[in-house]
Amino acid sequence: MRGLKVLPSGRPGRGRLYVNLPDGQAVAWYDRQANRISVLADDHREAVLAVLRPYLSGTVAIGPPPVPTAADLRRLALRPDADLAPNRPGETLLGELEHGPAGTRARHRMRQDLTAQQRMGDVFDALEPDGWRILHCVPLPGLGRLDHLLIGPAGIFCVRTVPGRRQRAVVGDLLLTVGRTEPRPEPRWIRGAAACTRAALSAKATPALAVVDASRVETAPTVRDIRILQAPTAGPTLAAFPTTLKPPEIDALFARARDSATWLHPTRPGPGGV
């Protein structure tokens, strides 16, 4: 059948591909993670396969849509402008660089932060085939934006990304110092972000700092509650943690977390927060 259009949904290369009629009505979708085509109208089956063929790889399952879970129903009811899942790493910084202040020093720092967030974002997004669900640039009332939220087999991780600038990074109980720059309160901030996340999702959330391109990272022995991640080893580090969440629990938590309404009401951080 002529006129079928393939339209992406979600982050480029990772979301679903929808097959629509010329009037916009969906007749099928291809779930890249599950490698499955769900056909809504069986009389379009062959045409759907033909138009999706350039995007397929490996053995692809095809059939009617699976029975929706509670997480699926919540996602389907979510307004597009309330869905955080399409956010790219550094989404806010991209807008600030395009429309923000023209100060050379401020823009240089924003570019460094953006590069670090994009690099860690790529590392975290690569975990999705292993059962992880990732959000970027999550709004936390009163705190700003959480760079990355990871929900997977090892639990929930709130991640703040820090550019290492090829210098020594020292993580203390309250401050993080890179080279000779002014110490930043990243450890204290990420504890507060994890406390807000625990309140919003009613589940344990672990604070984590991702240090990108530091010459070396030193962590004070008293820092026991914050996970320190680095780009080359972040994936294996997370995979080595004990499993605490099952797939249905991951899907349910992700369905709540991707809804911006979940984060609307300010919460008071618990012990160790800001």
Side-chain angles (χ1 to χ4, degrees):
M1 177 180 178
R2 294 183 180 180
L4 291 181
K5 295 182 180 180
V6 178
L7 298 175
S9 172
R11 290 197 298 277
R14 298 189 180 276
R16 290 179 173 180
L17 293 176
Y18 282 88
V19 181
N20 293 356
L21 295 172
D23 63 2
Q25 179 184 354
V27 293
W29 68 79
Y30 171 45
D31 188 328
R32 303 186 209 213
Q33 291 182 2
N35 209 20
R36 187 182 195 282
I37 300 173
S38 295
V39 181
L40 296 171
D42 201 57
D43 53 330
H44 295 309
R45 182 187 181 104
E46 295 304 320
V48 165
L49 281 172
V51 75
L52 283 175
R53 190 163 288 116
Y55 306 95
L56 305 179
S57 61
T59 302
V60 180
I62 182 169
V67 176
T69 63
D72 290 330
L73 293 174
R74 181 164 185 156
R75 175 183 53 77
L76 292 169
L78 191 61
R79 301 190 323 273
D81 61 342
D83 190 359
L84 300 176
N87 283 2
R88 299 164 294 177
E91 187 79 45
T92 301
L93 288 172
L94 288 166
E96 290 177 354
L97 283 168
E98 184 175 353
H99 305 292
T104 303
R105 182 174 296 181
R107 293 183 71 83
H108 178 67
R109 179 168 176 172
M110 282 194 288
R111 287 194 185 94
Q112 288 183 324
D113 288 343
L114 176 60
T115 298
Q117 290 184 35
Q118 288 175 329
R119 183 171 178 191
M120 288 310 304
D122 289 343
V123 170
F124 295 143
D125 285 345
L127 297 172
E128 289 188 347
D130 297 323
W132 289 83
R133 299 293 177 262
I134 317 298
L135 292 174
H136 306 290
C137 214
V138 177
L140 301 180
L143 290 176
R145 298 270 176 170
L146 176 64
D147 296 337
H148 315 283
L149 180 66
L150 284 56
I151 304 174
I156 301 172
F157 292 81
C158 302
V159 184
R160 178 82 149 185
T161 302
V162 181
R165 304 184 183 92
R166 302 187 185 279
Q167 300 178 65
R168 183 183 67 153
V170 180
V171 182
D173 280 317
L174 299 178
L175 300 173
L176 183 149
T177 305
V178 176
R180 297 182 180 180
T181 60
E182 192 74 19
R184 297 166 59 174
E186 311 296 22
R188 188 167 180 260
W189 189 95
I190 198 61
R191 288 189 183 102
C196 285
T197 300
R198 284 195 295 271
L201 299 180
S202 301
K204 179 183 177 182
T206 301
L209 293 172
V211 185
V212 180
D213 286 336
S215 60
R216 69 179 186 272
V217 179
E218 299 176 5
T219 306
T222 52
V223 179
R224 299 186 181 94
D225 58 327
I226 299 176
R227 297 292 185 180
I228 308 301
L229 305 174
Q230 298 185 66
T233 58
T237 298
L238 291 166
F241 292 150
T243 297
T244 61
L245 294 177
K246 298 177 181 178
E249 296 172 317
I250 294 170
D251 290 341
L253 286 166
F254 183 70
R256 292 179 60 190
R258 69 188 296 174
D259 186 351
S260 61
T262 299
W263 310 93
L264 284 180
H265 303 291
T267 55
R268 190 173 187 177
V274 294

